[in-house]
Amino acid sequence: MSAGIIAGLAGWHALAGTQAPDPQWALETAYHYPEGQIDAASVGKLGVAWEFDGFVVRGRTNRGVEATPVVVDGVMYATGPWSVVYALDARTGRLLWQYDPDVDGSFARRTCCDAVNRGVAVVDGTVYVATLDGYLVALDAKTGKPLWKADTITDRSRSYAITGAPRVAGNVVVIGNGGGEMGVRGYASAYDRRTGKLAWRFFVVPGDPQAGPDESPDVTEARKTWDPHSAWDLGGGGTPWDSIVYDPDTNTVYLGTGNGSPHPLWLRSPAGGDNLYLSSIVALDADTGRKKWHYQTTPGDSWDYTATQNMILADLDIGGKRRKVIMQAPKNGFFYVLDRLTGELLSAEKYTTVTWADRVDLKTGRPVISDQSNFSEKAKLVWPSEAGGHNWPPMSYSPETGLVYIPVLEAPMIFSMAPTPYRPYSNVQGSVGAFPTVASWGGTQDASVLAGQPAPRFEQVLKAWDPVKQKVAWTSRVMPFWSGGTMTTSNGLVMQGSADGYLNIYDGRSGTLLHRINIGTGILASPMSYTIDGTQYVAVAAGFGGAMNRSFLPGWAAMDRVNAPRLLVFRIGGDQPRLPPRVVATPLVPAPARFRGSEEQVRRGQQLFAHNCLRCHASADSPGGYPDLWKMAPETHEVFEQIVLGGAYSYAGMASFADVLSKDDAMAIHAYLAAPVKKDEAGAKTMH
């Protein structure tokens, strides 16, 4: 038997064969599959070998499925929403075991972007998973039984959560956390992978100086780049919520760190400063957690330009010299190639439209920031948006073509200051970002804001980037916004799922679209491939959600078909995919008259709804992943207060809001939802 392995959130060289000597080594393959029988001539014969649809769903909300599975010795390990781990027979899809960590459902409120999970690490018969509510768990790979469980959260009064995958780095397993939008101080923790004992912790940003001395000289170094009068009470941000990479040759852990909290520099650190180590790549000694070097992609970040996007390790010929490099396409729109031994910047060019900075100065390594980036006094249209030129769906690298394949988001955002500087457990971060091309999200077509700027777009493309020539080799056709990550194969294929429910297969050299497979479910995760007994399989998890679960857009499969989580595995000669049933629209339901309030209550309820509810629940009759609150059943109206204030639906992710809403507030929101829905002259639904 041959069992190929590919998965993880980082990159390394292509494997020489289908079975790696160390499964963790195989987690570092940059989504590149080194062999296989599937090629340009046979992709048209791909069909479904098996499908798994037994994911845990709490309540009525189908959440995003973002993990790429790992296959080790014929067993596939996958995760779904709520951090549940599934072990499946990789030949047949039969469930071998399931581990449900019974995550505290209220933590869905502590996340910016859904109760998702991005996968596991597997090594030496142990599966490692990080849970939404902040625990790192080691499981026996054969039985799924917990071996140890560690609490990674330092302060549970703060809005920490975990959605990323852990990374095994030598003798330790490393995990970061999320919450950079929610008022936390970011850090990464390393635990002995056999015992679960804390080995080290690296704080990304300084803490409140009144709370005690700095934890390390690295923190003291960072403090010099912050205003002494910074908003320490708001945490600072910097959460390493996704990409963590390990280089076994140098025993180095690379962290990708997140945005500041609150977003605008002038609110966070009024006197300015780079605010290390926000939006940076930080190289750490895997044994001690001490910093070797850092490179900050976006000094003083005010635009949510995280550097948490996946990083790829490779050896490239640059300037006539073989260089060991680390590559990243972070949110800010520049593609970075760094010497991974020293942190030296080798190149940084725009891979998408960028207006916040004119260029990156290779001598200083710093961006040349433009006047267009400053929205402190008036609204500005800035490229890229807060979604970034590239977000978490992983890019991949092919040693055969020499190209990196980036899922690129092409969109600007109108940035402006918010009337409320910060609110805990919310995405209120002192600034407002609006897509100008999406009216349903409150966008504006203000001519004065758009004047003289590149025309707004709102689309997704796949770009093949040459990291040596520092330019785009080819660009795909336009796809719906926010499609999945990519995978490459040694025979030149590139695979990517898209939000319209297709698995797309390209020729990696030319960009020719070779084949499309309609599965009817939006795809966010990256595909992967493995070989067992001479048969090559391609697996992809599907299920739309994440940051985009609030309001579905035209072209997304979730607009047309039931968006249930699925895992599909393909082989040559397989069956036609099963398409999910069509979505059946339900009418708006008039609320019982006794819950309707005065016009003043309705107006106040609308404001409270916008501040507390709108990041999940869309406006009336707008399709989305969360329940339409204008379609509540009469019995739901009867228990509305118990839901909003009492946490009756907390297990399903609807936490209590009693800490920020009074009984009168809840009644006002209820009055807003109970008000009759009418249509204006343009046909849009409004409240009256």
Side-chain angles (χ1 to χ4, degrees):
M1 181 191 74
S2 170
I5 313 169
I6 178 168
L9 298 177
W12 189 249
H13 311 286
L15 296 178
T18 56
Q19 178 66 60
D22 179 347
Q24 177 59 24
W25 180 273
L27 296 179
E28 307 290 356
T29 55
Y31 295 97
H32 180 76
Y33 190 64
E35 66 162 37
Q37 65 221 184
I38 301 171
D39 57 20
S42 61
V43 291
K45 301 176 183 177
L46 282 176
V48 175
W50 55 264
E51 175 179 342
F52 175 75
D53 60 2
F55 289 92
V56 170
V57 177
R58 296 187 182 185
R60 294 189 289 124
T61 300
N62 285 314
R63 301 177 181 273
V65 184
E66 300 185 356
T68 299
V70 178
V71 174
V72 179
D73 293 335
V75 179
M76 177 180 289
Y77 303 95
T79 62
W82 301 110
S83 317
V84 181
V85 184
Y86 307 88
L88 307 168
D89 186 313
R91 300 174 184 80
T92 66
R94 179 173 64 89
L95 180 65
L96 303 175
W97 55 257
Q98 174 178 311
Y99 171 72
D100 188 338
D102 195 24
V103 162
D104 180 350
S106 68
F107 270 72
R109 185 183 163 198
R110 299 187 180 210
T111 65
C112 77
C113 310
D114 208 354
V116 297
N117 185 277
R118 298 194 185 93
V120 299
V122 184
V123 65
D124 293 341
T126 304
V127 178
Y128 299 93
V129 64
T131 66
L132 190 73
D133 52 357
Y135 294 93
L136 181 64
V137 185
L139 306 172
D140 184 289
K142 292 186 180 297
T143 66
K145 301 297 183 183
L147 302 173
W148 54 258
K149 180 178 180 180
D151 186 352
T152 74
I153 295 182
T154 58
D155 182 356
R156 287 195 167 265
S157 70
R158 295 281 185 167
S159 192
Y160 286 107
I162 299 178
T163 56
R167 171 69 66 232
V168 172
N171 295 320
V172 299
V173 56
V174 185
I175 189 62
N177 47 58
E181 281 74 30
M182 319 291 277
V184 304
R185 181 190 181 198
Y187 57 86
S189 305
Y191 296 84
D192 184 292
R193 64 185 178 93
R194 293 175 177 84
T195 67
K197 182 181 179 180
L198 180 67
W200 52 259
R201 179 167 284 139
F202 179 85
F203 284 95
V204 175
V205 299
D208 187 340
Q210 301 301 315
D214 293 334
E215 292 82 1
S216 73
D218 302 321
V219 175
T220 301
E221 178 186 352
R223 190 177 295 281
K224 298 174 184 177
T225 67
W226 289 71
D227 184 342
H229 304 290
S230 291
W232 304 117
D233 59 316
L234 302 184
T239 50
W241 53 264
D242 198 11
S243 188
I244 303 171
V245 187
Y246 177 58
D247 183 351
D249 287 349
T250 60
N251 197 36
T252 302
V253 173
Y254 300 93
L255 297 181
T257 70
N259 54 274
S261 176
H263 285 169
L265 172 65
W266 45 91
L267 295 183
R268 183 177 67 243
S269 181
D274 288 352
N275 285 194
L276 292 173
Y277 301 97
L278 296 178
S279 302
S280 300
I281 298 172
V282 185
L284 305 176
D285 183 289
D287 291 332
T288 66
R290 288 298 309 278
K291 182 172 71 72
K292 294 184 174 182
W293 58 259
H294 75 272
Y295 177 78
Q296 190 172 39
T297 60
T298 313
D301 177 22
S302 292
W303 311 275
D304 192 10
Y305 288 159
T306 65
T308 55
Q309 288 57 53
N310 73 303
M311 299 174 283
I312 294 174
L313 309 183
D315 293 350
L316 299 179
D317 291 321
I318 298 177
K321 183 180 178 181
R322 192 71 168 171
R323 304 294 294 260
K324 292 184 177 297
V325 304
I326 185 168
M327 299 183 285
Q328 189 187 51
K331 279 190 184 182
N332 74 11
F334 289 93
F335 189 97
Y336 296 87
V337 181
L338 303 169
D339 185 302
R340 70 173 182 267
L341 302 181
T342 66
E344 176 191 357
L345 178 64
L346 302 178
S347 65
E349 296 293 336
K350 298 176 181 179
Y351 64 86
T352 185
T353 304
V354 176
T355 63
W356 71 273
D358 296 325
R359 59 186 174 86
V360 175
D361 186 322
L362 291 184
K363 292 183 178 180
T364 65
R366 299 179 64 87
V368 179
I369 297 177
S370 70
D371 292 338
Q372 186 63 25
S373 69
N374 188 346
F375 58 91
S376 61
E377 300 295 332
K378 63 178 182 179
K380 294 286 187 68
L381 183 77
V382 182
W383 291 74
S385 72
E386 286 183 347
H390 170 221
N391 208 287
W392 70 264
M395 64 185 189
S396 58
Y397 169 67
S398 169
E400 287 75 25
T401 66
L403 301 176
V404 179
Y405 301 92
I406 315 169
V408 178
L409 299 167
E410 305 268 36
M413 186 163 267
I414 297 173
F415 288 86
S416 60
M417 295 304 293
T420 304
Y422 175 78
R423 291 183 70 253
Y425 296 99
S426 76
N427 282 348
V428 177
Q429 280 288 316
S431 61
V432 176
F435 290 107
T437 53
V438 186
S440 65
W441 286 0
T444 176
Q445 296 293 344
D446 188 332
S448 65
V449 176
L450 305 184
Q453 299 303 308
R457 301 195 302 279
F458 189 76
E459 57 195 35
Q460 172 108 40
V461 292
L462 174 61
K463 291 188 179 182
W465 179 267
D466 189 319
V468 176
K469 296 180 180 179
Q470 305 168 42
K471 65 179 184 179
V472 174
W474 55 260
T475 301
S476 75
R477 64 177 184 82
V478 172
M479 292 176 280
F481 197 75
W482 211 291
S483 293
T486 64
M487 179 195 77
T488 63
T489 69
S490 60
N491 48 21
L493 300 183
V494 181
M495 300 187 186
Q496 180 193 24
S498 47
D500 54 6
Y502 283 83
L503 179 62
N504 306 287
I505 305 171
Y506 300 86
D507 182 293
R509 292 179 172 81
S510 67
T512 301
L513 181 60
L514 300 173
H515 189 52
R516 303 186 78 208
I517 303 174
N518 182 17
I519 68 168
T521 304
I523 301 171
L524 295 169
S526 290
M528 58 86 70
S529 190
Y530 60 97
T531 296
I532 296 179
D533 297 336
T535 298
Q536 183 184 357
Y537 299 86
V538 172
V540 66
F544 213 70
M548 310 302 290
N549 210 23
R550 172 185 166 262
S551 185
F552 297 155
L553 297 175
W556 292 358
M559 285 283 286
D560 183 49
R561 294 187 180 275
V562 173
N563 181 42
R566 312 164 66 192
L567 174 61
L568 292 92
V569 176
F570 300 88
R571 63 171 173 79
I572 294 172
D575 299 326
Q576 285 292 319
R578 172 186 61 84
L579 297 181
R582 300 274 185 182
V583 171
V584 177
T586 55
L588 293 169
V589 180
R594 67 190 187 87
F595 295 115
R596 300 175 188 173
S598 66
E599 290 188 7
E600 181 181 353
Q601 267 189 311
V602 171
R603 284 193 296 268
R604 183 164 172 269
Q606 185 174 15
Q607 293 176 339
L608 290 167
F609 181 88
H611 289 157
N612 297 280
C613 316
L614 194 57
R615 73 182 177 99
C616 290
H617 299 283
S619 55
D621 210 23
S622 177
Y626 299 98
D628 187 330
L629 299 184
W630 283 267
K631 296 179 179 179
M632 288 188 290
E635 54 268 26
T636 305
H637 281 282
E638 295 292 339
V639 295
F640 186 83
E641 183 179 322
Q642 291 96 304
I643 296 170
V644 175
L645 302 181
Y649 289 175
S650 180
Y651 179 78
M654 175 59 204
S656 167
F657 279 70
D659 57 323
V660 294
L661 296 176
S662 67
K663 185 173 182 178
D664 286 344
D665 292 336
M667 289 176 63
I669 294 173
H670 200 178
Y672 168 60
L673 298 172
V677 177
K678 295 185 178 182
K679 290 186 178 181
D680 60 21
E681 293 181 358
K685 296 176 178 63
T686 59
M687 305 309 299
H688 178 71

